[in-house]
Amino acid sequence: MNIAAPPVNRGKTATAVLFDLDGTLVDPAGGITQGIEYALRTMDLPSPGLDALNAMVGPKLADALVTFAGVPLDTVPAVIAAYRVWYGRQGMAMSVLYPGIKDLLTQLKAAGVPLAVATQKPEPLAKKLLALHEIDQLFTVIKGSHADETLMPGAPGYRAGKSEIIAAALTELSELGDLADGAGSAAVMVGDRHQDVRGAQDNGLDCIGVSWGFAADGELAAAGVTAVVHSADELAQELTQTFLEARDGAL
């Protein structure tokens, strides 16, 4: 993997890169889907099947439980509580970094590229997962949903979805001086689901999709993804050839 300065880009020069977490940086390796099944069994609710469980990796968990598993709204908090206990005890430890990701992040960081995480996982849990894999210090900003997943719209700290989480990450990057003028021209999102693509678009960002995550066939293309890559090496090439600003001829 070689991070080199880009030639002509597509009209946008990014000085920061935002990453989704599960399905993009970290392979949950069943730690999420098995945990959801466990929580559903705990509440005497049926499993929706593997395809539906995989589709639940990425979206906000409360919404996914209702949409994909048919969990009654008044039961969602109890299911989430059971899931979080299981995930904390064993699910998180099941996760692994995708091949080449740590090297890519390390090279980008060494090249002076500000990095951020924008995930719908609760923010404290996201930070704990990144620390477990010893990559938390590579990110300038880590943004997720509120720790209290039962919060309703309008509550302090509530972030409805990926668009708001990406916006919060961009705001902090801007406050730290890590974005050029105009957030939409100063960052690029990397993710594996349509929520990443549309959240990026809502904030004026392009999104590079990764094929190793949990998107269904055609999902990323239908959402309007800028490009799809199939390895960390391809992601490095796409970033340098398309988005990242040259710094003295090299990144």
Side-chain angles (χ1 to χ4, degrees), residues 10 191 197 206-210 220 224-229 238 242-243:
R10 296 179 185 174
V197 181
D206 286 306
C207 183
I208 300 173
V210 300
L220 293 171
V225 71
T226 304
V228 176
V229 297
E238 183 67 26
T242 307
F243 294 102

Side-chain angles (χ1 to χ4, degrees), residues 195-213:
Q195 292 93 349
D196 301 310
V197 181
R198 290 170 181 154
Q201 292 168 345
D202 287 346
N203 286 280
L205 274 60
D206 286 306
C207 183
I208 300 173
V210 300
S211 66
W212 54 78

Side-chain angles (χ1 to χ4, degrees), residues 20-121:
D20 174 50
L21 182 49
D22 292 311
T24 300
L25 299 175
V26 173
D27 180 359
I32 292 177
T33 54
Q34 290 182 39
I36 293 173
E37 278 198 303
Y38 165 82
L40 292 171
R41 288 197 306 270
T42 298
M43 302 303 298
D44 294 322
L45 295 169
S47 170
L50 183 58
D51 287 345
L53 288 168
N54 283 336
M56 295 171 74
V57 180
K60 185 179 178 183
L61 181 55
D63 296 340
L65 287 170
V66 173
T67 302
F68 297 104
V71 176
L73 284 173
D74 60 354
T75 309
V76 168
V79 175
I80 291 177
Y83 165 75
R84 290 302 176 201
V85 170
W86 188 94
Y87 182 78
R89 288 177 178 171
Q90 53 189 304
M92 186 182 300
M94 295 169 64
S95 66
V96 294
L97 290 176
Y98 285 106
I101 285 297
K102 188 169 186 178
D103 286 344
L104 171 62
L105 295 173
T106 300
Q107 291 191 41
L108 289 170
K109 179 75 171 181
V113 180
L115 304 177
V117 167
T119 175
Q120 294 197 102
K121 186 184 289 293

Side-chain angles (χ1 to χ4, degrees), residues 154-178:
Y158 176 82
R159 296 179 187 134
K162 205 56 176 272
S163 297
E164 292 80 6
I165 293 168
I166 291 173
L170 291 172
T171 296
E172 186 164 337
L173 284 168
S174 181
E175 290 172 348
L176 293 170
D178 286 334

